[in-house]
Amino acid sequence: MSKLSLSDSLQQLSLALSRQVVGQQHVVDALIIALVAEGHVLLEGLPGTAKTRSVRALSNCLDASLGRVQFTPDLMPSDVIGYETLDSSETMVFKEGPVFTNILLADEINRAPPKVQSSLLEAMEERQVTVGGKTHPLPELFMVLATQNPIEQEGTYPLPEAQLDRFLMKITVDYPIREAELDILRLVKSEALQQKPNFSIEQSLLLQAREAILNVSTSDSLEQYIVDIVMTTRFPQQFKDSELKNWIQVGASPRATIALEKCARTHAFIKGKDYVDPDDVRAVVNSVLGHRLILSYDAIADGISAKDVVTEIIKRVPVA
């Protein structure tokens, strides 16, 4: 299948998702980029903003299995990755947990303690699970979509930086505008007639798309631009006339550089291009970098968000 037809298929997937996730096109775009770029997504938003619905809609449009774990304080790592037990012949066998699926919905991931959160680290980074000294591979198509509520702090455990860094993108899901809310109301009323998705994309096409983005070129100047953006998060003092040096406590890791370039290539591919331009980088930079920055106390006290910081970086860093 040609690149153009693959791109068209992803555009159709976007259209199908946008019919189910109304008024959240940035969420739809991010889910598709992460899906093709082999990354994981953290969805953060208030209750009722279609975070879980977005994940289910994506699963319904794919030839893929969906596993769901409701993260709670009493959850154990074995409830997520699985455990070893004796079978009828008194032989140790491994019982797979919900993580052995194509798409894992980690609902309210910050409600489980760090021990449970860390059980996903190996799965997210290496696409495998090790239990009892034995390694068990996950499916070739594997994606973690985690949700969390930004306003409820009681009974929650903030994700550590090491785990946040393993999410390719973090997406903020806001309340929809008035017109979109009206569309949502009408969609829910008629949903009984729309239980089956009108579009489905095969896993083989997604795997082909993952290979195809390798052929999307990034020029030397664009690579330098991406590196300069990430380096600015680590050395913000280079811009002496900017507040960046007062806003950033810890910058982004090399994993952010890799993620930004890959997401930019994927964005370009979905748009039907075979090269990356600065607009592709800017389209994904907030979602890729925001959750990887640790802001200073002064920035938090002044109400400066990670998005504000990334926006300032983009204003300051010139295209090489």
Side-chain angles (χ1 to χ4, degrees), residues 1-14 32 201 205 209 212 266-273:
M1 182 170 289
S2 68
K3 178 182 73 64
L4 182 60
S5 55
L6 280 174
S7 178
D8 288 343
S9 296
L10 295 176
Q11 293 283 5
Q12 292 179 41
L13 175 60
S14 175
I32 295 176
I201 187 169
L205 290 181
T266 305
H267 184 271
F269 174 77
I270 293 173
K271 297 301 181 182
K273 300 183 295 183

Side-chain angles (χ1 to χ4, degrees), residues 32-52:
I32 295 176
I33 289 173
L35 184 68
V36 177
E38 300 181 71
H40 312 288
V41 177
L42 178 61
L43 297 167
E44 183 176 84
L46 298 171
T49 50
K51 299 186 297 297
T52 302

